[in-house]
Amino acid sequence: MKKRCFWVSDDPLYIEYHDTEWGVPVYDDDRLFEFLVLETFQAGLSWITVLKKRENFRKAFDNFDYKKIAKYTENKYEELLQDAGIIRNKLKIKATITNAQAFIKVQEEFGSFSTYIWSFTNGKPITNKFEKREEVPATTALSDAISKDLKKRGFKFVGSTVIYAHMQATGMVNDHTTDCFRYHEV
């Protein structure tokens, strides 16, 4: 049996996510935005809750198309509030629209969001060497700095904890524990 990170339950969806996505470096703006949306909705909740609703989010938010989301009207916002398939948090829905607009501004300034976000790590993943659960941080000085910069650029729900989770999910940091079979694969 494969050894996995401590946080993976026996849920097949969680196992699939851990084994194929989590910690794999993402340089594609569309995927980076998708993870930003999902991490925003995850704030204060468990990741499995969001993961189980991921396809509902995909449908509700036009396949995470930030160009469409940036133009959402009040009617679309109200429609999303009625969508039982997603997490119906008013502030998080508003933040997703605001973040789509800010995302486009970052693209305009840097050429891509990927160029911007990966500039914080010089374009390469940071490989940590955590052995135990207690060693894995919820935030770092780097996630603090990125969070501060994103907020300055108008992003919402991008606290340091959300940003560190985003960094883990998109492979900016490799936080697979050293005993996990994925540690050397990503």
Side-chain angles (χ1 to χ4, degrees), residues 59-72:
K59 278 189 225 124
F61 285 99
D62 289 297
N63 204 30
F64 301 109
D65 183 336
Y66 50 87
K67 291 176 186 136
K68 286 184 181 174
I69 295 169
K71 295 177 183 168
Y72 279 1

Side-chain angles (χ1 to χ4, degrees), residues 40-170:
T40 297
F41 278 93
Q42 189 263 330
L45 302 169
S46 70
W47 181 244
I48 192 66
T49 301
V50 174
L51 209 50
K52 285 182 176 180
K53 293 178 177 278
R54 187 180 196 176
E55 291 312 309
N56 295 337
F57 277 109
R58 188 180 311 286
K59 278 189 225 124
F61 285 99
D62 289 297
N63 204 30
F64 301 109
D65 183 336
Y66 50 87
K67 291 176 186 136
K68 286 184 181 174
I69 295 169
K71 295 177 183 168
Y72 279 1
T73 62
E74 190 63 28
N75 284 348
K76 178 63 175 178
Y77 166 74
E78 293 295 332
E79 180 186 312
L80 289 166
L81 283 177
Q82 304 307 314
D83 190 334
I86 65 169
I87 296 159
R88 295 179 288 183
N89 178 300
K90 291 177 183 183
L91 295 176
K92 291 177 181 180
I93 292 170
K94 286 259 191 222
T96 299
I97 298 165
T98 300
N99 290 352
Q101 295 162 351
F103 192 89
I104 291 168
K105 286 183 185 147
V106 167
Q107 286 180 318
E108 289 166 356
E109 184 178 344
F110 292 89
S112 72
F113 185 82
S114 179
T115 298
Y116 160 76
I117 200 78
W118 279 95
S119 72
F120 288 94
T121 64
N122 295 318
K124 293 185 174 74
I126 297 166
T127 301
N128 291 313
K129 292 179 174 55
F130 302 128
E131 294 177 16
K132 298 190 244 26
R133 169 191 303 233
E134 302 79 43
E135 296 174 336
V136 182
T139 65
T140 63
L142 183 57
S143 67
D144 292 347
I146 295 171
S147 169
K148 187 177 179 182
D149 196 69
L150 285 168
K151 287 176 183 175
K152 189 177 77 183
R153 295 174 183 282
F155 286 81
K156 306 284 184 215
F157 272 90
V158 289
S160 191
T161 304
V162 167
I163 294 307
Y164 196 70
H166 188 263
M167 292 169 68
Q168 290 173 313
T170 61

Side-chain angles (χ1 to χ4, degrees), residues 3-5 18-19 176-184:
K3 178 83 171 121
R4 292 181 172 87
C5 292
H18 170 272
D19 291 1
H176 285 281
T177 47
T178 54
D179 62 345
C180 175
F181 83 98
R182 289 290 285 160
Y183 179 76
H184 293 288

Side-chain angles (χ1 to χ4, degrees), residues 4 7-19 48-49 51-52:
R4 292 181 172 87
W7 53 266
V8 182
S9 70
D10 59 359
D11 186 303
L13 192 61
Y14 230 8
I15 292 169
E16 173 75 12
Y17 173 70
H18 170 272
D19 291 1
I48 192 66
T49 301
L51 209 50
K52 285 182 176 180

